[in-house]
Amino acid sequence: MTDVAALGEILIDFTPAGERDGVPLMAQNPGGAPANVLAMAARLGSSTAFIGKVGQDSFGDYLDAVLQGEGIDSHGLVRGELPTTLAFVHLTAEGERSFTFYRNPGADSSLSPEELDWDIITHTRVFHFGGVSLTHNPARAATTFAVRIARQAGALITFDPNYRPALWKSEAKAVEVLSKALRLADVIKVSLEEMIFLTGTDDPELGTALIQEMSGAALIVVSQGEQGAYYRLMERIGQVPAFKADAVDTTGAGDAFFGTLIHYLAGKSRREVEGLSPYQLEKFMDCANAAGALTVTKPGAIPSLPSREEIQALAALRS
């Protein structure tokens, strides 16, 4: 039995790496939100497995090796004819990022239900998915099918909308598909921007109430960067402050946060999640905030993820 399995995209993030003779340089980094989440959970000690698709190219070879290097079971990684998806990350002076994708089409969006690894799906304590695999079929159909099977097998379902406007045909389609996906999840993590997009409000108390009404989820968390994270655990609400960090690159910070939280929830049933005390949950979220803060201090996603010891040391400052 695996602690955490995830289905979705694993891709190449090309991130800024300075200049040479006035020419901008880009560094090849492994990325993709579900893979980032698994890598963080694995560094904390969870057993993990990935389901997704890459090309039969050097990028696909590299990403398979990265998964194995992070201790993530890659038996569910399918190799296809389409090229591995690429993302180019653009950073502001404050480390905030935007993306340009080379994925029209890309290997990750071509994953079909027939290519799914059912042994992984039916033998995991947590099954995680994100919004990027919902943008196009057949990956959308494969994702929703897998989530339903994992739920039937008893897994706790976690979801991150991970909204990337450039990958959707329209905002209306994104809202329609992501709203349906919310109903499949027990635990949901959204950014403040995603909460606003899905609910129309920037008030976390109202926004999480609306998401709970839409989804029926046990736990909804809103990541707010420097403001920390807000949560709604059924009818209980709270705010957990962030740790200060000198941001170099915010890529992967939300995934580090969610991967850490998922690690601490792995092995709990939905009812046990509902029964968490605010004290217990806030201790988990302290560690998740510490992971996010440490991640922004280095460039890239998976390469910047902190160790368990680093997270525990920073989180201990608040105990």
Side-chain angles (χ1 to χ4, degrees):
M1 181 70 75
T2 301
D3 292 325
V4 187
L7 183 153
E9 74 282 3
I10 184 168
L11 46 78
I12 301 295
D13 281 333
F14 283 103
T15 56
E19 293 185 356
R20 179 183 297 166
D21 299 328
V23 178
L25 302 178
M26 305 291 282
Q28 174 182 305
N29 285 303
N36 298 340
V37 164
L38 288 183
M40 186 68 262
R43 291 193 183 192
L44 286 164
S46 288
S47 58
T48 56
F50 180 79
I51 299 172
K53 194 169 184 178
V54 294
Q56 295 180 19
D57 49 32
S58 61
F59 293 133
D61 295 339
Y62 168 68
L63 292 172
D64 192 359
V66 166
L67 289 174
Q68 294 183 51
E70 292 292 329
I72 300 168
D73 183 345
S74 66
H75 285 93
L77 185 68
V78 180
R79 307 296 293 267
E81 296 300 323
L82 292 174
T84 299
T85 298
L86 310 179
F88 288 81
V89 183
H90 313 283
L91 299 176
T92 66
E94 294 75 30
E96 294 297 328
R97 78 274 190 271
S98 59
F99 298 87
T100 299
F101 290 91
Y102 284 76
R103 186 199 188 223
N104 192 26
D108 73 289
S109 61
S110 70
L111 180 71
S112 69
E114 294 77 22
E115 294 173 313
L116 296 173
D117 188 317
W118 297 109
D119 187 58
I120 292 176
I121 294 167
T122 57
H123 292 85
T124 185
R125 295 180 175 88
V126 176
F127 191 83
H128 176 71
F129 73 112
V132 170
S133 63
L134 299 173
T135 60
H136 296 80
N137 277 313
R140 183 189 302 159
T143 301
T144 54
F145 190 30
V147 171
R148 293 181 191 280
I149 296 299
R151 176 185 283 280
Q152 290 174 10
L156 185 75
I157 306 300
T158 62
F159 176 57
D160 178 356
N162 196 29
Y163 176 55
R164 298 287 179 262
L167 297 179
W168 291 89
K169 293 180 180 179
S170 68
E171 289 188 359
K173 187 64 176 178
V175 170
E176 174 195 342
V177 173
L178 294 175
S179 296
K180 289 180 180 178
L182 292 174
R183 301 171 200 161
L184 300 173
D186 300 304
V187 179
I188 297 167
K189 196 282 290 184
V190 294
S191 67
L192 181 62
E193 294 76 14
E194 288 164 347
M195 185 192 77
I196 295 169
F197 177 69
L198 291 168
T199 67
T201 180
D202 63 358
D203 178 355
E205 183 174 355
L206 177 57
T208 54
L210 291 171
I211 291 175
Q212 188 179 61
E213 183 179 334
M214 294 163 64
S215 66
L219 173 62
I220 300 154
V221 178
V222 183
S223 57
Q224 301 171 292
E226 294 180 352
Q227 302 305 311
Y230 184 94
Y231 70 85
R232 178 176 291 275
L233 180 62
M234 302 302 289
E235 299 309 316
R236 290 155 289 172
I237 57 175
Q239 179 86 27
V240 181
F243 292 89
K244 291 184 179 180
D246 295 324
V248 172
D249 180 0
T250 59
T251 305
D255 301 327
F257 173 95
F258 206 16
T260 300
L261 181 59
I262 288 171
H263 164 76
Y264 286 108
L265 296 179
K268 298 185 185 300
S269 67
R270 179 190 167 104
R271 181 169 295 182
E272 288 172 323
V273 171
E274 292 174 354
L276 286 171
S277 69
Y279 175 81
Q280 288 174 306
L281 177 60
E282 288 176 15
K283 285 299 181 185
F284 296 162
M285 291 178 62
D286 271 339
C287 290
N289 277 337
L294 290 163
T295 298
V296 305
T297 63
K298 300 175 184 177
I302 290 177
S304 70
L305 296 175
S307 68
R308 175 172 55 188
E309 292 74 21
E310 289 173 319
I311 291 169
Q312 291 176 341
L314 182 56
L317 298 177
R318 195 170 284 162
S319 61

